[in-house]
Amino acid sequence: MGKGIIRYLIESSLSVIYNNDENCIICNDYCHEDSFLCIKCSRKINNLNKEFNLKKDNIELLCYSSTYYNGIVMELIKKLKYKCDFRCGEVLSNILFETIKEKQISYDIVSFVPIHRKSLSHRGFNQSKFLAKRISNYNKKPIVNCLKKIKYTKDQIGLDDDMRWENLKNSFKAVNKKYFKDKKILLIDDVFTTGATAFCCSKELLSKGAKEVIILTAAKSRV
């Protein structure tokens, strides 16, 4: 199935997915209109809004994560990523935007961690791109496809730290360079674990002319 058809099916399904169902997307209890989580589940999300640095190869990156990768947030990410539940994506993007506002993160353009075409064909969409689009819509900052994943890699789940870094070596290539040259990029991803993915993407962007790359993820693993 072609990418255009997949995109059409996804976008066409939004009107069905975003219906007037007043049940919580996690526990199925009642929740207020225009809210996808009930009060009980909302209170279980512990806002982290943590600022930290990722250092490697003489490069230092400023990173932010909105929550920890556990409980309700873990379920939201998995349902978005593997079940195409875009209501979960709405909740996660709201959490991300709250971090941007609270931390007053400044940037010129929004981008996202890419996935390989094989993964895109299998899954039908890129969850990080979905979140980045929502962030772009919130603050009217342009979204730019800055990266392409050129090497198909193993799923990072189950790999130790060294294997994660080796798995992603030379996996990303910068594209559309004229749109991000001398720009401060906010790079969106769903989960920060070792930082290998974020670092490899950022290193490629910086080497191709980006002024600065700031990492923002919905969740951070405690590892």
Side-chain angles (χ1 to χ4, degrees), residues 78-176:
K78 287 183 176 180
K79 289 180 73 172
L80 170 63
K81 187 173 181 178
Y82 299 114
K83 297 183 179 180
C84 298
D85 192 330
F86 296 103
R87 298 170 301 174
C88 294
E90 288 282 351
V91 175
L92 292 168
S93 59
N94 287 337
I95 292 171
L96 286 167
F97 195 59
E98 286 302 315
T99 300
I100 292 172
K101 291 192 294 184
E102 179 174 320
K103 295 296 184 179
Q104 298 183 336
I105 304 173
S106 174
Y107 50 95
D108 301 312
I109 61 174
V110 182
S111 194
F112 53 90
V113 171
I115 59 177
H116 193 270
R117 57 182 177 80
K118 289 184 179 179
S119 298
L120 184 61
S121 177
H122 175 71
R123 194 181 303 161
F125 81 112
N126 178 351
Q127 74 280 357
S128 297
K129 184 176 182 179
F130 176 89
L131 295 173
K133 281 184 174 180
R134 299 302 302 163
I135 296 302
S136 176
N137 290 337
Y138 280 136
N139 54 22
K140 308 305 179 185
K141 295 280 187 176
I143 182 171
V144 178
N145 179 14
C146 296
L147 292 160
K148 180 179 181 180
K149 191 170 186 183
I150 58 175
K151 185 174 77 172
Y152 185 69
T153 56
K154 301 176 184 177
D155 196 315
Q156 296 281 78
I157 297 173
L159 300 181
D160 62 28
D161 288 4
D162 291 338
M163 292 172 67
R164 283 174 178 263
W165 285 94
E166 186 61 30
N167 188 39
L168 290 169
K169 189 176 181 180
N170 301 319
S171 292
F172 302 100
K173 179 182 179 180
V175 295
N176 297 319

